[in-house]
Amino acid sequence: MPKPVVRIALIGAGFIGRSHGLAVAAVNGIFSDLPVTAEAHVLCDLDLEKARAAAAAMGFSHATDSWQGAVDSADAVIIAVPSQYHGAIARHAIASGKPFLCEKPVGLSSDEAESLAKTAQARGVVNAVGFTYLRAPMVAYAKRLVESGKLGKPMHFYGRHFEDYLSSPTAPFSWRLDAGIAGRCGALGDLGCHILSIARALCGPVDSLSGISSIVHPLRPTSDPAAPFRQVENEDYAGAMLTFRNGLAGMVEVSRVALGRKMDISFELTCERGTIRFEGERFNEIGLYLADEAESGVPGFKQILINTDHPDYSHFLPAPAHGLGFNDLKTIELAGFLRAIVANKPLYPDLFEAARISRLCEAILDSAESGQRINNPEQLNENRMETA
C-alpha cells in the first residue's frame, strides 16, 4: 500500500536551502522505513530564475518567487532564508496549519522566536528548528553516554564554534553583518546557536553567565563607490563563562574570524569517571577517556570511529568509519521532521528551544555591554501574548 505523501515547500535557494533540497531528494531512499514519502513539490526564492534553476537541479516540480503561494500549495514547509523573513513566513504557515522546519536563529530576536513558539503551540502546529550539529551521530552518542551514567556526574564543559569566513579585513560586507537582516547577534547568531544547543543538550539549562564580545573588523568594503565601507553591526567574537542549573561550570567561545578554522564546532565534557572530546572538523569520530581503563593500565584517550552502533548511521552505510557529511545531517533532520508530522508533535529542538538559545546569545551580549553577570539568562516571558 502506498505511503501518504508530504508535499514539501522549500523557501530559499541559497547555501543552506540547497542542503535542505538535497535532503528532500535523498530522504526517501535513505530512510526507507519512514511512514510517509517526501515529495519535492515547490522551491521558492525571491530571484525567480535562481528558484527555477535550483528546482530543476534538485527535482522540485515547481518554482516560484511567491513564498505565500509556496506555503499554500504544500503540506509542509522548510524555511531556509535570512532571519528577517522568518517571522512572516512562519506566521503564514501557522495560520495555514502547515508544519514547518525553520533555520536558526529563528527571527530577529528571542522575543520574535518566543512569540512564534507560543503561537504555534496554541494552534497545534508541528515545528522544528535546524540545529544541524545536534543531528551528528557522534554528538548523539555523546548525549547517550552522559545519560547512561557510565561517565558519572558531569563536572565542567568547554565548547567553541570557530570559523574563518570573515577573517580577512577585506572580506566584503554581507547581510550577516546587517542587524536588520541577520539580527543583533553576529557570530553568536550564526555559530553560537549551534554550540549552545549542544551545551544545553549535554549539560541542561544555564543558570547564569558572564559574557564578552568584540567586533574585530569594524568596517567592511562594499561595492558602492559612493560608500566604499560600511559599519559592521554585530560581533565577530564572543565568549561566556556559564553556570548550569545543576551546578556544572562551563565556557563557550564563538568566532567568525578564527583564521584557519573552517568548521570547528568542538567540545570537551569532563565527568567524574571520564571525558568526552569532539572536534567538528573530524565529526565522524569522538575521543573518550575512561578512568577505570586508565587505572587498569590503558591510559589516554581512545578514538571511537563512527559505526552502526551510533544513532542513524546504519541508514546510510553498513560499514564502520566510512563517514557522513553535512548534507547527511540535514537528511537525518528531515527524517525526524517527517516523523514528527506523523506523530503531530514538535521535533526537538523546537521553537521554544530556539527562543531559549537566542535568549542566551542576547544575554552574552548584554553582559558584555554591562560588565555584569546575568542570572536566569534563558528565561522566557511566560505572560507574552500570542499573535496570529
Side-chain angles (χ1 to χ4, degrees):
M1 185 174 180
K3 298 178 183 179
V5 172
V6 177
R7 298 170 301 162
I8 293 177
L10 172 58
I11 316 296
F15 156 60
I16 202 67
R18 184 174 185 272
S19 292
H20 283 289
L22 293 173
V24 175
V27 71
N28 297 322
I30 292 173
F31 288 88
S32 58
D33 58 341
L34 284 171
V36 294
T37 296
E39 179 184 301
H41 177 59
V42 58
L43 195 152
C44 172
D45 195 272
L46 293 178
D47 182 334
L48 183 56
E49 289 307 309
K50 186 176 181 179
R52 286 171 173 162
M58 293 186 289
F60 281 78
S61 301
H62 307 282
T64 181
D65 57 1
S66 168
W67 60 259
Q68 295 95 333
V71 172
D72 291 344
S73 70
D75 301 313
V77 183
I78 298 173
I79 303 172
V81 291
S83 297
Q84 72 171 132
Y85 302 111
H86 290 176
I89 299 170
R91 281 189 288 271
H92 190 71
I94 292 168
S96 305
K98 303 292 175 72
F100 64 97
L101 166 61
C102 185
E103 272 303 325
K104 45 52 64 187
V106 175
L108 290 173
S109 68
S110 62
D111 283 349
E112 185 173 25
E114 182 182 353
S115 177
L116 291 171
K118 291 185 174 181
T119 307
Q121 182 183 64
R123 299 290 182 89
V125 175
V126 172
N127 62 87
V129 180
F131 292 101
T132 312
Y133 302 105
L134 277 180
R135 321 293 181 188
M138 303 314 285
V139 174
Y141 173 63
K143 187 173 188 295
R144 192 167 72 188
L145 270 177
V146 173
E147 291 173 346
S148 75
K150 181 179 179 66
L151 303 180
K153 180 181 177 181
M155 296 191 298
H156 57 81
F157 174 89
Y158 170 70
R160 67 175 179 266
H161 194 157
F162 285 178
E163 297 192 15
D164 70 353
Y165 57 90
L166 286 173
S167 58
S168 171
T170 62
F173 190 92
S174 72
W175 68 267
R176 291 189 184 280
L177 315 182
D178 185 334
I181 299 175
R184 176 189 177 195
C185 299
L188 282 164
D190 188 23
L191 309 177
C193 282
H194 286 304
I195 192 59
L196 286 168
S197 74
I198 291 173
R200 290 190 83 261
L202 295 177
C203 305
V206 176
D207 191 57
S208 66
L209 62 80
S210 180
I212 57 173
S213 69
S214 66
I215 298 176
V216 177
H217 301 300
L219 294 175
R220 292 282 182 180
T222 76
S223 58
D224 182 359
F229 292 92
R230 183 170 169 182
Q231 187 78 34
V232 173
E233 297 176 358
N234 47 37
E235 83 291 344
D236 291 319
Y237 168 87
M241 300 297 297
L242 310 172
T243 301
F244 294 88
R245 191 167 298 165
N246 58 13
L248 179 76
M251 179 179 179
V252 294
E253 293 183 284
V254 295
S255 174
R256 59 191 184 190
V257 294
L259 194 63
R261 298 295 185 178
K262 305 303 178 183
M263 202 286 291
D264 180 20
I265 180 168
S266 302
F267 67 84
E268 190 162 309
L269 176 64
T270 302
C271 304
E272 291 175 311
R273 296 193 295 274
T275 296
I276 305 167
R277 184 169 63 192
F278 174 83
E279 298 180 31
E281 292 175 351
R282 303 177 67 174
F283 77 84
N284 285 295
E285 61 186 74
I286 200 164
L288 180 63
Y289 180 92
L290 296 174
D292 57 356
E293 290 187 359
E295 291 168 1
S296 63
V298 189
F301 280 86
K302 61 181 179 181
Q303 292 304 110
I304 299 173
L305 301 179
I306 196 168
N307 61 70
T308 55
D309 289 334
H310 302 134
D312 291 311
Y313 180 74
S314 61
H315 286 281
F316 294 85
L317 292 160
H322 283 54
L324 301 183
F326 179 86
N327 290 334
D328 297 322
L329 304 188
K330 282 303 184 190
T331 305
I332 293 171
E333 182 176 88
L334 178 57
F337 179 49
L338 292 168
R339 292 192 186 100
I341 291 172
V342 174
N344 196 33
K345 293 180 179 179
L347 174 67
Y348 174 86
D350 61 4
L351 289 169
F352 279 109
E353 182 71 359
R356 294 185 187 97
I357 291 170
S358 289
R359 282 270 195 274
L360 288 174
C361 292
E362 292 166 359
I364 291 170
L365 295 182
D366 290 341
S367 175
E369 291 171 6
S370 69
Q372 302 296 312
R373 190 166 186 85
I374 294 179
N375 295 319
N376 302 315
E378 60 183 58
Q379 184 174 344
L380 301 183
N381 295 321
E382 299 298 333
N383 297 320
R384 178 174 302 283
M385 295 297 292
E386 292 83 19
T387 57

